[in-house]
Amino acid sequence: MEAPKFVFLSLLLLVASTTRSSAALTRGFYNNVCPNVEQLVRSAVRQKFQQTFVTAPATLRLFFHDCFVRGCDASILIASPNGKAEKDHPDDISLAGDGFDTVIKAKAAVDTVTNCRNKVSCADILALATRDVINLAGGPFYDVELGRRDGRVSTIASVQRHLPHPEFNLDQLNSMFNFNGLSQTDMIALSGAHTIGFSHCNRFSKRIYNFSPRSRIDPTLNLQYAFQLRQMCPIKVDPRIAIDMDPVTPQKFDNQYFKNLQQGKGLFTSDQVLFTDARSKATVNLFASNEAAFQNAFVSAITKLGRVGVKTGNDGEIRIDCTRPN
């Protein structure tokens, strides 16, 4: 008689382990420990946002880069004395300091309240700060699931081949997002984050100067826009010069990004391909014509993104200092 009971127990444990990670994230996770955590984070983020708009795209990009490498565990924030952490990888080196600073300031604000001190993870603070910058920039307000724990490990090697590149085609984008449990629609909606923020000349100069032996300028690029980009990014210019990703409303979280794609004004190949590839074009057209459809899809996608590889329960830790493991 013991065998069936054992099998049943094993099945229960299996079910519990497979549902644990996202089930453990809940909206009111800190209600009993730090009930005003959202207001504390929002106030600190608003203050930082009022100082510089870069706060918005920098924090949003930080969240994305964190979740795609080792899951949403704030391992991107860990600093290494010998340059061997995630943030030191070439794919992360361009992350703006304002994103890191936003999380540090929000963490400090939370820790000024005695009952909240060292009770809220850096990973959850980053997730909340991301929602707040999106909303402050004119985007949607949405509920954030909480309960993430902070990772203890951050290595430069773990970034390799885990982040999308500007020259990716649709198959490469879909493959990378699918790996993280995100659909093509999620990927297109999250790409809409490029409606705010900036990039650097060296990330797209090939498209405007030496695209191919037959065509110096990428033929999918709007020619007038390409010449504007050449003016802003002359051949021998400092490669770190920043260019707005949305040339129309660069400081507003809206659906303009998708309208730009319709006109051949996607800054990266990985942006423009969403419109030139027939498999994704209809979604771009929908988001361009219907801002509510984009916002709903974005909220759904960023909520799913926030569940990627999370550490919960006894995994990880609550870091006292976001920049180093306890």
Side-chain angles (χ1 to χ4, degrees):
M1 289 298 290
E2 285 303 305
K5 193 189 288 184
F6 175 75
V7 170
F8 179 65
L9 189 63
S10 300
L11 278 171
L12 273 182
L13 287 170
L14 182 67
V15 169
S17 67
T18 51
T19 56
R20 183 174 54 95
S21 61
S22 60
L25 295 184
T26 56
R27 287 177 187 172
F29 186 82
Y30 295 103
N31 283 358
N32 298 324
V33 233
C34 181
N36 53 344
V37 62
E38 299 212 16
Q39 293 92 312
L40 291 166
V41 171
R42 189 168 179 83
S43 171
V45 171
R46 184 187 282 115
Q47 203 175 345
K48 174 78 185 160
F49 178 83
Q50 285 166 348
Q51 289 165 3
T52 170
F53 180 81
V54 175
T55 301
T59 306
L60 175 50
R61 190 161 173 246
L62 193 65
F63 182 59
F64 180 83
H65 279 233
D66 181 49
C67 292
F68 261 45
V69 179
R70 292 186 173 273
C72 310
D73 67 349
S75 53
I76 187 72
L77 300 170
I78 294 176
S80 158
N82 55 1
K84 296 280 177 68
E86 280 176 38
K87 64 188 291 190
D88 302 306
H89 190 278
D91 288 352
D92 283 334
I93 215 99
S94 65
L95 288 168
D98 286 296
F100 295 91
D101 192 44
T102 301
V103 181
I104 303 302
K105 287 198 159 91
K107 162 83 168 156
V110 170
D111 284 350
T112 54
V113 180
T114 311
N115 57 306
C116 298
R117 188 169 303 139
N118 303 328
K119 300 276 177 30
V120 182
S121 69
C122 301
D124 277 345
I125 288 172
L126 175 54
L128 286 169
T130 300
R131 184 269 309 275
D132 292 336
V133 294
I134 288 165
N135 186 235
L136 287 164
F141 185 87
Y142 54 92
D143 288 313
V144 177
E145 299 172 337
L146 300 168
R148 298 167 192 80
R149 306 264 290 178
D150 296 324
R152 297 186 177 97
V153 178
S154 180
T155 67
I156 197 165
S158 57
V159 182
Q160 204 63 24
R161 291 188 294 280
H162 278 94
L163 291 167
H165 282 198
E167 69 283 355
F168 270 16
N169 62 30
L170 191 70
D171 290 326
Q172 290 169 305
L173 288 168
N174 277 334
S175 165
M176 190 165 277
F177 279 74
N178 288 341
F179 178 78
N180 290 297
L182 298 158
S183 68
Q184 177 173 285
T185 304
D186 295 329
M187 179 270 291
I188 297 167
L190 288 169
S191 298
H194 286 172
T195 185
I196 55 172
F198 53 88
S199 183
H200 301 100
C201 293
N202 59 342
R203 303 289 281 174
F204 57 84
S205 59
K206 189 174 189 287
R207 291 189 76 201
I208 57 173
Y209 285 115
N210 53 353
F211 180 69
S212 73
R214 293 179 63 185
S215 174
R216 293 201 167 191
I217 294 176
D218 182 343
T220 66
L221 201 54
N222 177 300
L223 203 55
Q224 190 184 353
Y225 181 50
F227 288 135
Q228 286 171 351
L229 291 174
R230 279 184 168 191
Q231 281 184 315
M232 293 184 279
C233 293
I235 284 183
K236 290 204 163 57
V237 78
D238 182 337
R240 294 165 301 182
I241 282 186
I243 303 298
D244 288 326
M245 298 204 70
D246 173 358
V248 185
T249 55
Q251 295 200 353
K252 190 164 191 307
F253 192 97
D254 55 17
N255 65 338
Q256 184 61 47
Y257 166 82
F258 300 102
K259 297 176 185 176
N260 294 341
L261 298 186
Q262 290 174 322
Q263 295 165 28
K265 294 181 181 177
L267 191 61
F268 294 158
T269 304
S270 58
D271 292 315
Q272 197 56 50
V273 74
L274 302 180
F275 184 71
T276 55
D277 194 307
R279 294 170 293 171
S280 46
K281 186 174 185 174
T283 309
V284 170
N285 287 338
L286 170 67
F287 292 165
S289 65
N290 186 332
E291 186 146 33
F294 161 54
Q295 291 203 354
N296 291 336
F298 184 85
V299 168
S300 169
I302 202 158
T303 302
K304 281 165 76 173
L305 174 65
R307 297 172 186 154
V308 172
V310 292
K311 292 164 181 66
T312 56
N314 296 321
D315 286 350
E317 63 186 15
I318 305 280
R319 259 183 251 148
I320 292 166
D321 174 350
C322 288
T323 67
R324 58 172 187 259
N326 295 344

